[in-house]
């Protein structure tokens, strides 16, 4: 798998034309990431991870994005 290009929000939105079918919010060891195609959303701090999916939602909402595919395969299951 090729390494994704890290982009700040404005460049990320412009580069990918943010299609809800391509936009992914995924859980990884370090937290939640937002990607589309071969790009990865980078925060102003240089980090590509969010602590919660809600943080990612709020950043995307600030750019007018209200739809994405969410994948959480990396989370441990809880049985009740």
């Amino acid at each position: 798998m090729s390494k994704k290009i890290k982009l700040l929000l404005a460049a990320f939105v412009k580069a990918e034309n943010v299609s809800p079918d391509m936009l992914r919010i995924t859980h990884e060891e370090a937290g939640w990431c937002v990607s589309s195609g071969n790009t990865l959303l980078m925060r102003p701090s240089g980090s590509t991870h969010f602590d919660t999916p809600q943080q990612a939602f709020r950043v995307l909402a600030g750019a007018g994005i209200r739809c994405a595919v969410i994948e959480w395969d990396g989370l441990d299951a809880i049985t009740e």
Side-chain angles (χ1 to χ4, degrees):
M1 184 163 110
S2 64
K3 188 172 183 178
K4 292 188 180 271
I5 300 166
K6 299 174 186 177
L7 298 174
L8 292 172
L9 183 61
F12 178 82
V13 171
K14 186 176 180 180
E16 293 298 330
N17 292 321
V18 188
S19 164
D21 296 332
M22 294 288 295
L23 190 62
R24 297 276 190 271
I25 300 172
T26 56
H27 187 267
E28 298 179 2
E29 281 186 34
W32 294 87
C33 294
V34 178
S35 64
S36 182
N38 69 340
T39 61
L40 187 62
L41 178 60
M42 182 173 63
R43 301 172 76 179
S45 66
S47 171
T48 56
H49 294 89
F50 296 88
D51 293 331
T52 66
Q54 290 84 355
Q55 287 178 331
F57 299 156
R58 292 179 73 155
V59 169
L60 294 173
I65 301 166
R66 299 286 181 172
C67 185
V69 175
I70 302 170
E71 298 175 357
W72 59 87
D73 286 343
L75 289 175
D76 293 331
I78 297 175
T79 57
E80 295 183 0

